[in-house]
Amino acid sequence: MFDTKIAVILRDDLAVWQKLNVTAFLMSGIVAQTGEIIGEPYRDGAGNVYNPLSIQPIVVMATDQEALRKIHQRSLERDVTTSLYIEEMFATGHDVANRQVFSEFSPETARVVGMALRADRKIVDKITKGAKLHA
């Protein structure tokens, strides 16, 4: 059991490709923030080496736009650093453009499509209240 919890929360009306894309981007932010969640490389029975993976389970949740807005606000109120992906980032093609369009919005105006966070289990549960496990 871990003292912390990792949660990815996605807007429930996204296309499947968008959900997968956003989840990958958001988790890269969690790994960048918390490198110690990455374990040792994997080795198969033939000795081939594979990339290390997270040592901790990741919960993927979904909710509507309004609940996601509230979850975002709760994370800010609790000063929990998150990975955040906004709708306008789908129209960009690289990191510099993503950061540029991201900077044009505030928490009140951002159309958040996904976010990820890692914090104390109880804090994550309070922040993500209203989201359901992704089906």
Side-chain angles (χ1 to χ4, degrees):
M1 194 65 143
F2 294 90
D3 293 338
T4 59
K5 185 174 192 176
I6 300 171
V8 174
I9 308 95
L10 302 169
R11 199 172 74 193
D12 58 7
D13 63 347
L14 298 177
V16 173
W17 75 266
Q18 291 173 316
K19 290 177 183 180
L20 296 170
N21 181 269
V22 169
T23 299
F25 271 100
L26 294 174
M27 280 308 302
S28 70
I30 296 297
V31 171
Q33 178 190 26
T34 324
E36 68 268 13
I37 67 168
I38 299 301
E40 296 296 320
Y42 282 69
R43 292 183 189 277
D44 66 19
N48 298 304
V49 178
Y50 300 88
N51 288 330
L53 301 175
S54 174
I55 62 170
Q56 186 171 354
I58 300 157
V59 177
V60 179
M61 308 171 93
T63 194
D64 62 25
Q65 181 70 70
E66 181 57 23
L68 191 54
R69 186 192 62 73
K70 289 177 184 174
I71 291 167
H72 179 211
Q73 188 60 42
R74 285 186 212 125
S75 72
L76 294 171
E77 290 167 358
R78 287 174 172 82
D79 201 28
V80 173
T81 302
T82 65
S83 300
L84 198 71
Y85 200 101
I86 62 172
E87 190 169 310
E88 290 75 13
M89 291 165 68
F90 287 127
T92 65
H94 54 86
D95 183 56
V96 173
N98 280 345
R99 284 185 282 114
Q100 174 58 45
V101 73
F102 191 93
S103 72
E104 296 171 10
F105 296 89
S106 68
E108 295 76 32
T109 60
R111 292 185 298 185
V112 177
V113 297
M115 61 184 293
L117 62 150
R118 179 182 182 262
D120 179 87
R121 295 180 68 75
K122 291 178 184 178
I123 292 173
V124 171
D125 289 342
K126 288 177 182 177
I127 290 173
T128 60
K129 182 179 177 188
K132 305 286 186 220
L133 286 177
H134 193 284

